[in-house]
Each structure stands twice: as structure tokens, then as C-alpha cells.
Amino acid sequence: MLNLKEDIWIFTYGSLMWRPEFPHIDSQPALLRGYHRSLCVYSVEYRGTQNYPGIVFGLDKGGACKGLAMRVEYRLVKKVINYLHKREMKHKVYCPKWLQVTIPNESVKAYCFVVDRNHKQYAGKLREKQMLKLIRQGRGKGGNCLDYLQNTLHQLDELGIQDLTLQRVVRLAKNI
């Protein structure tokens, strides 16, 4: 479905919102229905290690997710998709999909990274105590889990998106 003669949209909901590291010509608040932002992926490299995994976001089934849609100019689509696959698909814990998202004044197809529930790094819904342990121990080559969560929360706040669950998790993780 990749037409190299048209701009594309990328839906971002975690670190891609605040550290996209790819050129884009527009960003709009976006709503994706049918999936929600969830701390459901064990991180064994970027925010943790094999011996001390961290936890990061995935788009999981159900609900809705507010994030950012970033528009990529058609001339850079191939380069950006390659970059995103190198960054997000190293362990193949996500399934790239084209999904309908709502941005102000229109609905567009956007490239999204949805968690693969059958992957060994899929954590599912964790108990609070287990999640906090992963957040506190998670340190990898991309930094630590708590900073990752705080940066995501800060970006959501900047966008006027209130995520009470993430606010609570960050507050609890900071109170060691």
C-alpha cells in the first residue's frame, strides 16, 4: 500500500512523539480507535537488558489512543519507513499496520506499530508491583524506563492529553 508519490502519516504514541528523529512536515493531534497505549512490552535493549528487562509502550487491542500523527513528505517516505523499521522492528515485537486515525478536520490512514500479542516480549497487563519493578530496574542503551515514561507524560501534557494511569505509574515509580 506504499505509494511513493504521496505523503504519508505516521501515528506516534510513545517515544516517537518526543524523539521522532525522522523528518516530517506536519504534526497533528490524532485519535486512533480500537487500540490503546499500554505498558505491555518487555524492553530488553533500549530500556532494559535480557537479565533486567524494562517495560515500554505498545498499542494494544481495545479502547482508543490519543497521540500525534506526523506527515512525511513523499520524497522521504522510503527513507523514513526504513529508519522506523530499523528502530521499532529490531525484535519484531510490533506489527506495522495502516490504520485510520482522526486528526483535526479529517480522517487519514496512518502507519502504526501495534504490539504482537504472540511475541515473547509481550507482557500483557501486569500487576502494579511487577510493573513498578520493571520501571525501576529498566536501564538500557536508550536510557532508563522512568525517564522514558516521564518524557512521554510531559509530551502528552504539552498536547493537552491527560493520561491518569501514566500519571499514577510515574508518581509511584518516583517514590521508591
Side-chain angles (χ1 to χ4, degrees):
M1 176 171 175
L2 196 58
N3 181 348
L4 298 178
K5 295 181 182 178
E6 293 181 4
D7 296 351
I8 65 165
W9 291 91
I10 310 290
F11 179 75
T12 66
Y13 57 91
S15 63
L16 282 174
M17 286 190 304
W18 48 268
R19 191 177 58 84
E21 295 184 341
F22 63 85
H24 52 284
I25 56 176
D26 190 13
S27 65
Q28 299 283 328
L31 174 65
L32 172 65
R33 296 184 192 283
Y35 297 89
H36 65 283
R37 180 185 302 103
S38 175
L39 285 169
C40 65
V41 176
Y42 293 116
S43 180
V44 296
E45 186 171 344
Y46 291 111
R47 306 286 173 194
T49 65
Q50 290 288 341
N51 293 331
Y52 296 99
I55 191 82
V56 294
F57 290 113
L59 279 177
D60 207 352
K61 290 180 184 175
C65 181
K66 291 181 179 179
L68 273 180
M70 297 180 179
R71 192 167 125 215
V72 176
E73 186 178 16
Y74 73 94
R75 290 180 284 168
L76 298 175
V77 166
K78 189 173 181 180
K79 181 179 179 180
V80 168
I81 293 290
N82 287 339
Y83 163 75
L84 289 171
H85 277 248
K86 184 177 177 185
R87 175 175 165 170
E88 300 296 323
M89 296 296 294
K90 184 169 187 178
H91 297 282
K92 297 181 176 52
V93 69
Y94 301 109
C95 299
K97 295 185 178 202
W98 290 97
L99 299 171
Q100 209 68 33
V101 300
T102 304
I103 59 175
N105 304 316
E106 66 180 309
S107 180
V108 297
K109 285 260 189 204
Y111 202 61
C112 307
F113 290 94
V114 174
V115 71
D116 177 357
R117 286 183 160 200
N118 295 315
H119 196 280
K120 66 183 178 182
Q121 284 177 248
Y122 177 68
K125 186 165 175 56
L126 299 171
R127 290 190 182 105
E128 188 173 270
K129 185 176 179 180
Q130 189 179 9
M131 185 183 305
L132 291 172
K133 178 184 177 196
L134 292 167
I135 293 167
R136 291 177 181 144
Q137 78 182 14
R139 284 173 180 68
K141 70 180 191 181
N144 69 60
C145 281
L146 184 55
D147 287 346
Y148 165 83
L149 296 179
Q150 289 179 131
N151 286 336
T152 302
L153 184 58
H154 176 74
Q155 181 65 50
L156 292 172
D157 288 344
E158 290 281 315
L159 295 170
I161 299 170
Q162 191 173 40
D163 187 326
L164 298 176
T165 302
L166 182 55
Q167 289 173 4
R168 175 179 161 67
V169 167
V170 167
R171 189 173 57 253
L172 290 171
K174 288 169 74 174
N175 294 326
I176 295 175

